[in-house]
Amino acid sequence: MYNISSTEFEKKCKEVVPMLQEMVMKKAPNVISIRQFYQLEHSLRLNLCVDYKKGDEEKVLTLSIPAQQVMDENLTPVVDLIVKNVT
């Protein structure tokens, strides 16, 4: 594991969130949006808020992705997890 600067991490998050949204929406059209939210933590993580519809209800799924996974663009497990939880 290497050190990741918060600046580089933020830049990567801005690239990864739209890619994730596009990948998820292809598999789960009921997803309305995926957005990043911030909270203070001891480690760098990408916190996501997934807004989706289930029946007539709007729901929210939150998840946290480790910085290393974001930097490596290892998105398939994240996409699979979101799709599994919203469909």
Side-chain angles (χ1 to χ4, degrees), residues 36-65:
Q36 183 176 359
F37 70 92
Y38 298 91
Q39 65 187 46
L40 288 172
E41 296 177 15
H42 297 294
S43 60
L44 285 176
R45 300 183 75 78
L46 170 58
N47 296 306
L48 292 178
C49 191
V50 180
D51 299 306
Y52 66 101
K53 282 191 119 137
K54 198 142 195 174
D56 291 337
E57 275 186 88
E58 282 195 18
K59 298 185 175 234
V60 176
L61 169 71
T62 57
L63 63 152
S64 187
I65 305 158

Side-chain angles (χ1 to χ4, degrees), residues 7 16 24-26 48 55 62 83-84:
T7 307
V16 165
V24 166
M25 290 176 121
K26 282 181 182 169
L48 292 178
T62 57
V83 170
K84 183 178 140 200

Side-chain angles (χ1 to χ4, degrees), residues 12-13 15-24 27 46 48 63 65-83:
K12 182 56 97 174
C13 287
E15 296 171 12
V16 165
V17 173
M19 288 192 311
L20 265 172
Q21 179 162 318
E22 186 179 331
M23 293 165 73
V24 166
K27 296 181 175 191
L46 170 58
L48 292 178
L63 63 152
I65 305 158
Q68 191 64 52
Q69 189 172 354
V70 173
M71 297 307 288
D72 294 342
E73 290 188 18
N74 183 10
L75 305 179
T76 303
V78 179
V79 170
D80 292 344
L81 178 73
I82 293 170
V83 170

